[in-house]
Amino acid sequence: MKDIFHAVAVTDRVYWVGAVDWTTRNFHGYFTSRGTTYNAFLVMSEKVTLIDTVKAPFRDEMFARIASIVDPGKIDYVVSNHSEPDHTGCLKDVIDAARPEKVFASKNGAAALERLFGLGDQVSVVADGGSVSLGDANLTFIETRMCHWPDSMVSYLHEDELLFSQDAFGMHLATYQLFDDECDEATLDFEAAKYYANILLPLSSFVIKTLDKAGSLGVNFRIIAPDHGPIWRRDPQKIIDAYARWSAQVRTDKAIVVYDTMWKSTELMARSVGEGLTAGGAKAKLMPLEGSHRSDVAMEILDAGALIVGSPTLNKQLFPTLADCLCYLKGLQPKGLLGAAFGSHGWSGEATALIEASLGEMGVEIVSAPAKSRHAPDTEELQQCYALGQAVAAKLKNR
Ligand code: FEO
């Protein structure tokens, strides 16, 4: 590993010593189509300080990058901003190798590290707003509960105006281009939004509180260094503004039509709904689950105004892909959506009622009676689907 993996300078005193995971495609049901990075940072102050670690399989890569700058045994302090194992998988190895003077975490972080790794008695709990001197630099810790876990906190390095933001402001993107100004901007915009939709959307009220708290600190964020994806140094305010927008769940005139089909009947209905939406002035996007992952649907829901769902009835149930997708979306707790249901059936046709029940649990306002068809939609039933799309579009326009 030595002489292969190197640290990357972020500032004169801060180095990236993380790992690039080109293979992972699943983060708790979220399809991470571009892999990810686990970012760890070394602050080369008088007190050599490691901020976060990496997922366990990447231990050797992280240690090699640290060793390219300093003997890992010389690490004085370790900060654990977030206890989820993608950032603490190597914490015990670091403690064993470095015997650091202090390991800092929030109170909830210490409790989680005890439950996960039996490390609680080795952690020094830091207060919300508390600071520690690194000798020639100073770190302040700010709790960011539920962004992403109850333990989460961020660390601010005053001298470099650098925020170590753990999961917040991150994205799942494997890349050797570690800074935003080295990456394709459209890719960053997409992956940051997808990450927010799939991880932070249900925690939006906490994101709003955290942004308010950050604003009240009266400090500059020249650099934001998250634990996943590129480091924001060109325009850190851009991702802060995006979080403010996403957490407010501002809705647009976009309508998502999510469906699956057995014999193309529900698909034909979906296409009629899409035509009706478009004729009514909405921006329709059809998402057949045969080719769309649940996490892609979640990404589209981030700014959609309506969620229209179509399913065949299979053995008196929803089609399994729809049940999966609706369960996942319900957990993300989107607010302020309009919706409707449609679907074909051979016998009893329970699917549309099940969809409406599920949308109701999500707080979706049902705009139209469901459109149903037996076996294959005839012209009149397709016109009902078209009218359903028009009704949703009209409601989107007038709210
Ligand atoms: Fe990247 Fe919540 O862990």
Side-chain angles (χ1 to χ4, degrees):
M1 291 294 191
K2 196 169 176 299
D3 301 328
I4 294 176
F5 295 105
H6 298 275
V8 176
V10 178
T11 68
D12 289 346
R13 88 181 85 215
V14 175
Y15 294 84
W16 175 85
V17 290
V20 183
D21 184 347
W22 292 95
T23 57
T24 190
R25 291 293 181 271
N26 180 19
F27 184 86
H28 307 167
Y30 162 9
F31 180 50
T32 52
S33 59
R34 288 182 164 113
T36 195
T37 65
Y38 311 108
N39 298 337
F41 300 94
L42 194 63
V43 184
M44 290 301 296
S45 280
E46 286 171 36
K47 294 291 187 186
V48 175
T49 301
L50 180 67
I51 311 280
D52 291 325
T53 70
V54 298
K55 199 173 176 181
F58 297 88
R59 170 194 181 280
D60 292 347
E61 182 173 336
M62 180 194 70
F63 270 102
R65 293 193 199 278
I66 294 170
S68 73
I69 297 295
V70 68
D71 174 357
K74 300 247 187 294
I75 292 171
D76 297 298
Y77 292 163
V78 179
V79 174
S80 175
N81 279 323
H82 176 28
S83 62
E84 193 160 14
D86 47 339
H87 310 296
T88 53
C90 302
L91 183 57
K92 187 171 185 320
D93 295 313
V94 170
I95 292 172
D96 290 346
R99 300 277 161 206
E101 281 176 46
K102 299 275 188 189
V103 178
F104 298 111
S106 68
K107 185 177 170 197
N108 287 339
L113 291 172
E114 172 60 23
R115 295 291 300 176
L116 286 164
F117 306 110
L119 294 174
D121 60 353
Q122 300 188 54
V123 174
S124 300
V125 170
V126 294
D128 183 21
S131 295
V132 64
S133 169
L134 309 184
D136 57 347
N138 295 279
L139 274 179
T140 292
F141 308 107
I142 304 142
E143 284 192 4
T144 56
R145 290 186 188 192
M146 299 314 298
C147 302
H148 167 220
W149 275 10
D151 60 82
S152 291
M153 67 177 193
V154 298
S155 303
Y156 181 67
L157 184 64
H158 290 262
E159 288 68 18
D160 291 9
E161 298 182 325
L162 191 160
L163 183 73
F164 298 106
S165 64
Q166 48 95 30
D167 277 346
F169 308 124
M171 70 185 72
H172 288 311
L173 175 64
T175 175
Y176 290 130
Q177 280 64 57
L178 294 178
F179 299 94
D180 57 346
D181 48 90
E182 299 172 341
C183 298
D184 172 60
E185 196 167 358
T187 302
L188 296 187
D189 291 347
F190 179 88
E191 292 298 344
K194 187 174 177 186
Y195 180 96
Y196 187 94
N198 281 277
I199 295 180
L200 290 168
L201 186 64
L203 309 170
S204 286
S205 62
F206 297 95
V207 173
I208 290 168
K209 278 185 203 152
T210 297
L211 291 172
D212 288 346
K213 199 168 172 182
S216 69
L217 290 175
V219 293
N220 289 326
F221 300 122
R222 189 168 62 86
I223 300 172
I224 294 178
D227 276 356
H228 298 289
I231 296 158
W232 304 96
R233 69 177 179 188
R234 175 173 49 196
D235 181 15
Q237 191 60 40
K238 181 179 173 185
I239 188 67
I240 294 173
D241 292 345
Y243 267 49
R245 194 167 63 249
W246 295 329
S247 60
Q249 300 202 40
V250 176
R251 299 288 159 203
T252 66
D253 62 353
K254 182 172 78 177
I256 306 303
V257 183
V258 182
Y259 68 94
D260 210 333
T261 194
M262 291 167 68
W263 292 107
K264 304 293 181 191
S265 296
T266 305
E267 179 162 282
L268 201 51
M269 298 171 82
R271 290 168 62 182
S272 298
V273 171
E275 294 291 330
L277 283 163
T278 305
K283 293 189 179 68
K285 180 159 188 171
L286 269 59
M287 302 195 80
L289 288 178
E290 195 171 339
S292 308
H293 193 268
R294 66 176 90 82
S295 50
D296 292 320
V297 176
M299 158 77 186
E300 295 294 341
I301 289 295
L302 190 57
D303 66 348
L307 170 62
I308 304 173
V309 180
S311 173
T313 297
L314 178 65
N315 298 326
K316 301 187 177 180
Q317 301 297 323
L318 287 174
F319 205 62
T321 49
L322 268 306
D324 170 284
C325 187
L326 287 170
C327 174
Y328 187 77
L329 294 179
K330 189 164 73 176
L332 295 176
Q333 300 173 40
K335 308 272 188 257
L337 285 165
L338 306 176
F342 65 93
S344 69
H345 61 278
W347 304 280
S348 47
E350 286 87 349
T352 50
L354 291 169
I355 292 168
E356 287 190 336
S358 190
L359 292 178
E361 288 171 17
M362 253 189 266
V364 175
E365 180 187 343
I366 304 294
V367 170
S368 162
K372 298 178 75 164
S373 166
R374 187 157 192 184
H375 289 307
D378 58 22
T379 302
E380 188 181 331
E381 287 163 342
L382 290 177
Q383 278 170 346
Q384 284 168 4
C385 292
Y386 187 90
L388 182 153
Q390 283 187 308
V392 173
K395 185 87 177 181
L396 278 173
K397 203 185 287 183
N398 293 324
R399 70 174 186 172

